Amino acid sequence: MSVPDYMQCAEDHQTLLVVVQPIGIVPEESFFRIYKRISAVSQVNVRDSQRVLYIRYRHHYPPENNEWGDFQTHRKVVGLITITECSSAKEWPQTFEKFHLQKEMYGSTLYDSRLFVFGLQGEIAEQPRTDVAFYPGYNECETVEKRIEDFIESLFIVLESKRLDRATDKSGDKIPLLCVPFEKKDFVGLDTDSRHYKKRCQGRMRKHVGDLCLQAGMLQDSLVHYHMAVELLRSVNDFLWLGAALEGLCSASVIYHYPGGTGGKVGSRRAQGGSLSAEAGNRHRPGALTSNGINADTSAEIGRAKNCLSPEDIIEKYKEAISYYGKYKNAGVIELEACVKAVRVLAMQKRSMEASEFLQNAVYINLRQLSEEEKIQRYSILSELYERIGFHRKSAFFKRIAAMQCAAPSIPEPGWRACYKLLLETLPGYSLSLDPQDFSKGTHRGWAAVQMRLLHELVYASRRMGNPALCVRHLSFLLQTMLDFLSDQEKKDVTQSLESYTAKCPGTMEVITLPDGLKLPPVPFTKLPIVKSVKLLNLPTSLRPHKMKSLLGQNVSTKSPFIYSPIIAHSRGEERNKKIDFQWVQGDVCEVQLMVYNPMPFELRVENMGLLTTGVEFESLPAALSLPAESGLYPVTLVGVPQTTGQITVNGYHTSVFGVFSDCLLDNLPGVKTNGCTVEVIPALPRLQISTSLPRSAHTLQPSSGDEISTNVSVQLYNGETQELIIKLENIGTEPLEKLEVTAKTVNTKEKLYGDFLSWNLEDTLCQFPLKPGKIATFIVNIKVKLDFSCQENLLQDLSDDGISVSGLPLSSPFRQVVKPRVETKPLNPQESSKVGDFSHVKTLEAILNFKYSGGPGHAEGYYRNLALGLHVEVEPSVFFTRISTLPATSTRQCHLLLDVFNSTEHELTISARNNEDLILHAGECQRMAIQVDKFNFESFPESPTDGAQLANAKQLEEERQQARGLEINSKLDICWKIPSLKREGEASVEGVLNQLVLEHLQLAPLQWDILVNGKVCDCDVVVTCQVGDPVPLQVKLTNWSKHSVGPFALTMMPYQDYQNGVHNYDLQDAITFVGSNTFYIDTVKPTKDSVYFGSLLFLYTGDFYLNIKFHEDNCSRELPLSWLCLPSVHIRATDGPS
């Protein structure tokens, strides 16, 4: 026997072999449809008996194997069923002749045969025949199963007769010697009458009868016969047949112990027919089994158990039988099949190691030269058996050999599809799957070198099959999962192969379904490049949306009445891990930053890299990048535009590398760090872009709040100069700009500013709103720098003390004096020496203009944007006031303000005040200027608090009063400077140089005295004219602006003449007479009230006369300061004629 049956199992020993074959031309599909119906009748209950017959069907069986039917009866073809088509009566004789020829092939062993004829109708078909069945067609053959059952019963009758015939002990008859084919020539010339020969004949016959009993369903009898055969054959050293007897004994015991079978098929062999024998029924009755599966109640079971081998003995007898088979070179097939049967039994017993020994023996059994198909079958069965005993890698090894055998060079037409299919089946054995997700968790499983070899073979098989899509998928899988194990050269080779395949068939993310239904999942390149972190970026500072604050405030949550709840805090913490605390804006470009690196030893080009999102319609703007070899971490920014509002989740990114398109999801990248993947998209807002008339600044402002400034501009101004900043507001978005608020904040300066640094009128700009997309509005800001103009360093030589007065003593007139800086005098204080030359120091002012704007749908939802403009102003000194003092004027309500002005610029400068001539100062020159000013009433300003509880604010209030006084004085002086060569001009402020003494001299006395002569107010150089002989009315009016009542007062009028030589003549009784008393009495005057005293004068002669008014020294006048009792001078000119 040369063709092994690798599907054999121990229970096949109890089956009858029936061959089903076609005669003539029968469609393959039709034949196998009938064959399937025939093979379904695999067990039949024998009529009037409790026995069951088991049938084994084959549609192909080598005739040479039939010659071993005496050795093991289950190898003998006992039944033949032929299927043919016959369309006419003329073909019938020829068809029937073919049937007889087919029977002759197995004629020596056949018990019975049948011919199924399809398509023949008429007289011939109507003739009743037992061995022929006629059917009109393949769909009209309902009685096939019934005829098969009848056929099997006829086989049983023959089988039973043969069993009874052989089992009967006919001592008078000579027992024939049963032989295997290769033994016949060895027994020629033997002594047939010897005792040894007779025992051999008896032992072989006993073994043969045991086979017949087993096939006839008589398990107990077969066990007895097998035991007897073993004893007889062992005594004569008939090892081949002894092995067969032992194998028969093992098979019968296996059938008893494992009624479900050892073949591993779905559904037990005994359950297929739907009925069990009475013996089996008793054994499987609930509660009837002991631990070894034997019913202990019936005598039949007791006897059977005595003859039946235990599970352990079964394996020992199998080993013994196989060892006997191994003695015969021509019994290799028998030995191989015995090993296979033993392995199936050991698999049932979970004894994997012993099973592997049997399989290892089977591998080395030397058979005749096998065909390629037989080799494939042999290796496939070995693989299946190794799989059954749990040797998965060994199973995969033989499966791979079978696959390689399918494409052996000796095969004219290699079966690459079969090779590919078998290679796929080897993957689990090498811990390899086609799902890349299995390789992203934990450490690598399996031998990477073997796995790579297998994947390369899959690629090659796919290519030979003519399926480039499969090549791309397997190469992608190799590159993705085995990247860490590839050498640099292998990486280059694999990528080159991949690019050559993708040029014909690009790699996609679609699932590839094979013809057998296996699905190959897509392979995204998550390692090309490797992404280490994903960070959703906030919008630029100028584009970030802000929510308008509600009445409750931003941090108050109205969802819970509790101030704090640990449950709520925990859930919010989890949400914060996923959702980000900033927003994106509909229609604006949003960014996601990926930190990637290239693990390849060459430059990696990544094309069409973009974002994968859900939740909001999102337009991804793909990018292309080129990463240098083994680049290390490299930032990549992916951008896109959300088209709608709501929650958007960034799920991953897509790439195109080496022609393979990949969708890489973050959930499948466990090592990726992220700050969250979900962000809220708010409705669209306008976008404001600003441009100015000033140049951009190299200085970048850093505000304390941390906000970024989009634009920085700078300007250089002289102290006191004013310049217009023209800002163009352009709406570069898609929504109208409807609301605009502008605020300013001075930052990073220790300098004291006087007046408004920045000022604007927003109404003119708002008249141009709403600003449509693409439109421009103009906004003007006035920059006015007024720093301290005082010079505290005292670097200039003091002016001559002559003419400088702070005591109020009169001088003849103000004067100007030119001075130069004192260079020979060195200050003793080292701190002062460090300040030399500080006149040219440039000071810096910085401010931020904030534009808060909104519009469109975002404005309706309560969102706005902030745009900041940084302003850097370098202030160069213009003029300094080095000293300040006052001189009294001729009027009690005026005084002279003396200022020493120093030109610190490098240009000629003119300085002027209200109603004064221009003063020209050369570069570095200092001159004094005098300005006559009206005194000021400071009583309207708030007084310093006197309450002890408010002393903390006293200093602040005093500074405010000082500042208000300085502002009023400066507005009245209106001091301006001009640099003609530069055509620049500005103001000069005295606010920083005013001291308390000067302020007192500039302040109006609280008691205001007015003297009217002939109805005219007398003051300064006013000369009142009158006529000699006419009485002249004289009024003295006192207005009390103090907070307390004053008076009473007594004033004496003393007229005199001034001869302009220092001599005053008071002896004028003959020239002037008073109508009434020359002493005026003024009663007490309450605050804010006034009092008037009337009198009159009579001039007797012409001339210029003056009145000297003196207060009587009493308690009231002594308590008041002298400055409160300062009366104006009175000059009266008496003439003859009318004035």
Side-chain angles (χ1 to χ4, degrees), residues 113-299:
S113 59
R114 292 288 186 272
L115 172 63
F116 288 176
V117 182
F118 291 90
L120 184 61
Q121 296 180 356
E123 185 179 347
I124 297 175
E126 293 172 359
Q127 296 176 3
R129 300 179 63 125
T130 58
D131 58 343
V132 181
F134 295 95
Y135 296 102
Y138 293 106
N139 297 324
E140 302 173 13
C141 51
E142 294 80 5
T143 62
V144 167
E145 288 82 359
K146 181 66 174 64
R147 285 186 177 271
I148 295 299
E149 290 178 5
D150 295 342
F151 172 65
I152 292 171
E153 286 188 4
S154 70
L155 295 179
F156 172 73
I157 294 170
V158 178
L159 173 65
E160 186 67 9
S161 65
K162 286 183 177 289
R163 182 189 69 81
L164 292 174
D165 182 55
R166 300 288 176 92
T168 304
D169 187 9
K170 299 176 182 179
S171 57
D173 296 341
K174 190 174 183 179
I175 300 174
L177 178 65
L178 300 176
C179 300
V180 294
F182 71 87
E183 287 181 320
K184 293 178 181 180
K185 62 176 187 265
D186 297 333
F187 292 144
V188 176
L190 285 179
D191 184 5
T192 57
D193 294 330
S194 65
R195 183 180 178 87
H196 188 276
Y197 182 81
K198 289 181 179 179
K199 274 194 172 183
R200 177 177 290 189
C201 294
Q202 288 174 358
R204 293 189 177 190
M205 186 56 69
R206 280 290 179 182
K207 187 266 172 194
H208 182 65
V209 173
D211 287 348
L212 294 176
C213 290
L214 190 58
Q215 285 183 310
M218 300 175 69
L219 186 62
Q220 179 182 358
D221 294 354
S222 68
L223 287 169
V224 173
H225 287 293
Y226 283 138
H227 275 291
M228 293 175 65
V230 168
E231 293 175 4
L232 290 169
L233 294 170
R234 196 185 296 277
S235 64
V236 295
N237 292 332
D238 192 356
F239 295 118
L240 181 62
W241 285 78
L242 175 58
L246 288 171
E247 187 181 356
L249 185 59
C250 291
S251 298
S253 301
V254 168
I255 292 169
Y256 174 76
H257 284 294
Y258 309 105
T262 62
K265 298 175 182 176
V266 179
S268 68
R269 179 186 293 271
R270 292 182 179 271
Q272 289 176 355
S275 62
L276 298 173
S277 67
E279 298 170 356
N282 289 332
R283 288 205 310 275
H284 290 80
R285 190 171 63 247
L289 293 178
T290 61
S291 61
N292 59 0
I294 301 175
N295 191 315
D297 295 336
T298 63
S299 58

Side-chain angles (χ1 to χ4, degrees), residues 540-821:
T541 308
S542 59
L543 297 180
R544 291 175 189 171
H546 304 274
K547 185 74 173 177
M548 296 179 184
K549 292 184 179 180
S550 63
L551 295 176
L552 292 174
Q554 289 284 1
N555 299 324
V556 178
S557 175
T558 57
K559 294 181 179 179
S560 171
F562 301 105
I563 296 175
Y564 172 76
S565 168
I567 301 174
I568 295 175
H570 179 69
S571 64
R572 286 176 182 169
E574 290 179 353
E575 183 181 358
R576 188 162 54 248
N577 290 334
K578 298 178 181 177
K579 188 177 177 183
I580 304 174
D581 58 357
F582 57 76
Q583 295 93 22
W584 284 350
V585 180
Q586 173 189 357
D588 281 4
V589 175
C590 304
E591 299 179 333
V592 177
Q593 186 183 70
L594 280 65
M595 297 302 293
V596 304
Y597 73 87
N598 172 22
M600 305 300 278
F602 50 84
E603 184 182 30
L604 180 67
R605 288 191 56 80
V606 183
E607 300 174 354
N608 194 35
M609 191 172 189
L611 295 172
L612 299 174
T613 61
T614 56
V616 164
E617 183 181 344
F618 187 80
E619 180 188 356
S620 178
L621 305 176
L625 58 141
S626 179
L627 298 175
E630 298 174 350
S631 61
L633 282 181
Y634 188 87
V636 174
T637 302
L638 301 181
V639 299
V641 180
Q643 303 295 334
T644 56
T645 61
Q647 298 285 341
I648 184 171
T649 301
V650 177
N651 298 320
Y653 59 93
H654 62 81
T655 61
S656 174
V657 181
F658 304 130
V660 177
F661 295 90
S662 303
D663 290 344
C664 305
L665 301 179
L666 298 183
D667 293 341
N668 300 333
L669 303 175
V672 171
K673 296 180 181 179
T674 176
N675 63 336
C677 301
T678 302
V679 68
E680 181 184 1
V681 179
I682 67 162
L685 286 167
R687 289 184 59 183
L688 182 63
Q689 177 177 287
I690 58 176
S691 57
T692 69
S693 56
L694 297 179
R696 286 186 175 270
S697 172
H699 302 82
T700 302
L701 273 66
Q702 297 294 335
S704 57
S705 62
D707 295 335
E708 296 180 7
I709 297 174
S710 59
T711 307
N712 289 278
V713 296
S714 63
V715 64
Q716 181 270 329
L717 298 175
Y718 283 105
N719 190 11
E721 190 176 2
T722 301
Q723 180 163 332
E724 276 191 353
L725 169 61
I726 301 174
I727 302 174
K728 291 184 179 181
L729 309 175
E730 182 179 1
N731 183 3
I732 60 173
T734 58
E735 302 296 331
L737 202 158
E738 302 171 9
K739 298 291 181 181
L740 178 66
E741 295 181 14
V742 183
T743 57
K745 179 172 62 175
T746 305
V747 295
N748 302 336
T749 181
K750 297 180 181 179
E751 306 296 333
K752 186 174 182 181
L753 275 166
Y754 297 94
D756 293 330
F757 177 34
L758 301 175
S759 59
W760 60 83
N761 183 7
L762 191 59
E763 296 299 325
D764 297 340
T765 303
L766 293 179
C767 293
Q768 306 171 54
F769 279 43
L771 196 62
K772 300 295 182 183
K775 298 298 182 180
I776 299 176
T778 302
F779 177 61
I780 298 176
V781 177
N782 291 314
I783 306 172
K784 186 175 185 179
V785 289
K786 284 175 62 178
L787 300 180
D788 192 0
F789 285 84
S790 65
C791 180
Q792 304 294 336
E793 289 82 357
N794 196 23
L795 294 175
L796 300 178
Q797 182 181 6
D798 296 337
L799 296 179
S800 167
D801 289 337
D802 299 337
I804 296 181
S805 172
V806 291
S807 59
L809 297 177
L811 284 177
S812 60
S813 65
F815 65 93
R816 300 171 180 177
Q817 182 177 357
V818 177
V819 296
K820 294 183 179 179

Side-chain angles (χ1 to χ4, degrees), residues 219-403:
L219 186 62
Q220 179 182 358
D221 294 354
S222 68
L223 287 169
V224 173
H225 287 293
Y226 283 138
H227 275 291
M228 293 175 65
V230 168
E231 293 175 4
L232 290 169
L233 294 170
R234 196 185 296 277
S235 64
V236 295
N237 292 332
D238 192 356
F239 295 118
L240 181 62
W241 285 78
L242 175 58
L246 288 171
E247 187 181 356
L249 185 59
C250 291
S251 298
S253 301
V254 168
I255 292 169
Y256 174 76
H257 284 294
Y258 309 105
T262 62
K265 298 175 182 176
V266 179
S268 68
R269 179 186 293 271
R270 292 182 179 271
Q272 289 176 355
S275 62
L276 298 173
S277 67
E279 298 170 356
N282 289 332
R283 288 205 310 275
H284 290 80
R285 190 171 63 247
L289 293 178
T290 61
S291 61
N292 59 0
I294 301 175
N295 191 315
D297 295 336
T298 63
S299 58
E301 292 294 336
I302 293 171
R304 182 175 303 162
K306 186 185 297 184
N307 295 318
C308 184
L309 299 175
S310 67
E312 292 76 13
D313 290 339
I314 291 173
I315 303 306
E316 292 303 320
K317 298 304 180 186
Y318 262 127
K319 287 183 180 179
E320 185 179 354
I322 291 170
S323 68
Y324 294 147
Y325 291 150
K327 296 178 182 291
Y328 299 91
K329 182 179 180 181
N330 294 320
V333 174
I334 304 296
E335 181 186 0
L336 177 61
E337 291 182 355
C339 288
V340 171
K341 296 169 191 173
V343 169
R344 295 187 189 277
V345 175
L346 285 167
M348 295 290 294
Q349 297 178 359
K350 309 291 189 213
R351 296 161 67 180
S352 300
M353 292 306 295
E354 293 176 68
S356 69
E357 294 176 5
F358 280 92
L359 276 176
Q360 194 67 27
N361 182 59
V363 171
Y364 293 111
I365 293 175
N366 189 17
L367 300 179
R368 62 169 177 80
Q369 189 68 29
L370 300 177
S371 66
E372 300 298 338
E373 186 175 349
E374 289 171 333
K375 289 179 182 178
I376 294 168
Q377 185 184 15
R378 182 181 186 183
Y379 294 133
S380 298
I381 293 300
L382 285 172
S383 171
E384 178 189 333
L385 292 173
Y386 271 115
E387 182 71 26
R388 286 196 61 186
I389 64 175
F391 283 41
H392 303 295
R393 192 162 60 233
K394 197 81 168 179
S395 170
F397 172 77
F398 283 103
K399 187 81 74 174
R400 178 180 167 276
I401 293 178

Side-chain angles (χ1 to χ4, degrees), residues 41 135 157 187 227 290 432 478 538 679 868 905 967 997 1109 1122:
V41 187
Y135 296 102
I157 294 170
F187 292 144
H227 275 291
T290 61
L432 196 61
L478 170 63
N538 200 349
V679 68
T905 70
L967 185 63
L997 189 60
I1109 306 173
L1122 289 177

Side-chain angles (χ1 to χ4, degrees), residues 466-479:
N467 193 334
L470 275 181
C471 297
V472 171
R473 183 59 50 89
H474 291 310
L475 266 180
S476 302
F477 183 86
L478 170 63
L479 198 56

